[in-house]
């Protein structure tokens, strides 16, 4: 049987994580999306910056490619309203007002 150690060279993990940050309710809202490969963040989007930023040399290439697509960028920028503010309104009665 193969070595099932977590550091096995044949195991790869790619993931992304979306975060919404709120200050004073929805007065100040920003959206961050992080892309991670094998526990290393290589590129991220921050709605305050307004574009993707590369965190590694590979991530810089990915960021340039994604930033060059105006439709993709508009979709990412709209995530603050589509994802964060929308979910805040849905969860407020259950989380904030208790």
């Amino acid at each position: 049987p193969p070595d099932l150690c977590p550091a096995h060279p044949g195991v790869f993990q790619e993931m992304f994580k979306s975060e919404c940050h709120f200050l004073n309710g929805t007065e100040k809202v920003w959206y961050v999306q992080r892309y991670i490969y094998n526990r290393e963040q290589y590129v991220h989007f921050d709605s305050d910056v307004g574009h993707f930023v590369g965190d590694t040399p590979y991530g810089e290439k990915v960021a340039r490619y994604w930033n060059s697509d105006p439709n993709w960028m508009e979709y990412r920028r709209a995530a603050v309203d589509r994802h964060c503010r929308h979910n805040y309104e849905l969860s407020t009665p259950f989380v904030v007002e208790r």
Side-chain angles (χ1 to χ4, degrees):
D3 181 13
L4 299 178
C5 169
H8 189 275
V11 177
F12 303 99
Q13 180 185 39
E14 181 152 20
M15 63 182 282
F16 72 91
K17 180 177 182 179
S18 299
E19 304 169 3
C20 295
H21 299 268
F22 301 94
L23 185 64
N24 294 332
T26 58
E27 182 178 320
K28 171 68 175 150
V29 181
W30 66 100
Y31 173 76
V32 177
Q33 190 170 45
R34 306 172 190 279
Y35 291 82
I36 301 158
Y37 180 76
N38 281 352
R39 294 182 283 173
E40 180 180 23
Q41 179 175 309
Y42 64 94
V43 68
H44 70 277
F45 175 83
D46 186 336
S47 65
D48 276 352
V49 177
H51 61 268
F52 285 93
V53 177
D55 300 308
T56 66
Y58 172 71
E60 291 174 5
K61 292 178 185 178
V62 172
R64 276 194 301 273
Y65 177 73
W66 286 346
N67 289 334
S68 69
D69 183 346
N71 293 329
W72 175 245
M73 293 308 298
E74 184 58 34
Y75 183 78
R76 283 291 124 221
R77 290 183 187 115
V80 171
D81 294 320
R82 182 183 67 250
H83 181 71
C84 297
R85 285 193 174 98
H86 173 74
N87 287 340
Y88 184 87
E89 292 171 8
L90 292 176
S91 64
T92 299
F94 304 104
V95 179
V96 178
E97 296 175 1
R98 287 186 169 211

